[in-house]
Amino acid sequence: TSVSPSMQKRLDRISALINEGYTLKRGGGFDIQLRNSSGVRRNTLNPWKSPGGFSWIAFFFPSVVCCQIREWSYFYWIAILSVVSVLLSSIMGSDQATSGGTILSIVYGCLFPYMRYLAIKEEKKEFSVVASFFLGILLTIAAVIPAIILTAILGVE
């Protein structure tokens, strides 16, 4: 498990909270729940106030980092967003893919430190960066195939 110094700082902040009695667990999809000892949920989607901070690597290369730690939810969301984008484009006549993809990248930039922490704690076997790069491309292509088919059926340009 290779972790950059900046990511290690984020992981250390998360670990310190866990040691103070916080709990960190997965909900459904990309729902990461960080709760204090009283059960109050802490916002993990605010990069300025969240102890995990923001991962620029996960923002720019979410398919690679998610492959590396075997976080498959990213590809499910790419599939869903691409189909929704095609449907919105057919209804509204405008392309919605860019905004949806940007929002998804921001979400994964915020949540990736927590996902990385959980992957390490769950002892997930990681893929190498090179393997993750190519697997990420293949899985992204696979995720958008339903949207490509829907585009052909609806005749959306």
Side-chain angles (χ1 to χ4, degrees):
T1 304
S2 174
V3 177
S4 71
S6 60
M7 179 57 76
Q8 189 58 55
K9 287 179 186 174
R10 292 181 191 98
L11 297 177
D12 290 343
R13 284 194 301 264
I14 295 167
S15 185
L17 288 176
I18 302 298
N19 292 336
E20 290 175 15
Y22 277 72
T23 58
L24 181 65
K25 68 178 186 171
R26 296 176 189 279
F30 53 56
D31 182 29
I32 301 293
Q33 300 174 8
L34 179 66
R35 296 181 186 271
N36 67 16
S37 58
S38 302
V40 177
R41 190 167 178 174
R42 186 130 178 218
N43 185 354
T44 54
L45 291 175
N46 184 335
W48 296 278
K49 293 185 179 182
S50 173
F54 188 82
S55 171
W56 285 102
I57 297 293
F59 174 79
F60 286 112
F61 305 103
S63 65
V64 175
V65 297
C66 286
C67 271
Q68 186 176 10
I69 65 167
R70 299 173 185 248
E71 180 62 49
W72 309 124
S73 65
Y74 173 77
F75 302 100
Y76 303 143
W77 284 107
I78 284 291
I80 292 167
L81 282 175
S82 61
V83 166
V84 168
S85 173
V86 169
L87 292 173
L88 287 174
S89 294
S90 71
I91 294 168
M92 297 170 47
S94 65
D95 185 13
Q96 305 298 318
T98 304
S99 57
T102 302
I103 291 168
L104 191 62
S105 290
I106 291 169
V107 167
Y108 276 87
C110 292
L111 295 182
F112 185 70
Y114 302 100
M115 292 174 171
R116 184 67 188 247
Y117 182 89
L118 288 169
I120 291 169
K121 291 299 172 191
E122 294 165 359
E123 298 179 356
K124 286 187 176 179
K125 185 178 181 331
E126 292 185 2
F127 291 112
S128 71
V129 174
V130 173
S132 298
F133 176 79
F134 290 108
L135 184 58
I137 291 171
L138 290 173
L139 290 174
T140 301
I141 291 168
V144 298
I145 287 174
I148 293 168
I149 295 168
L150 189 58
T151 300
I153 292 170
L154 295 176
V156 177
E157 295 181 17

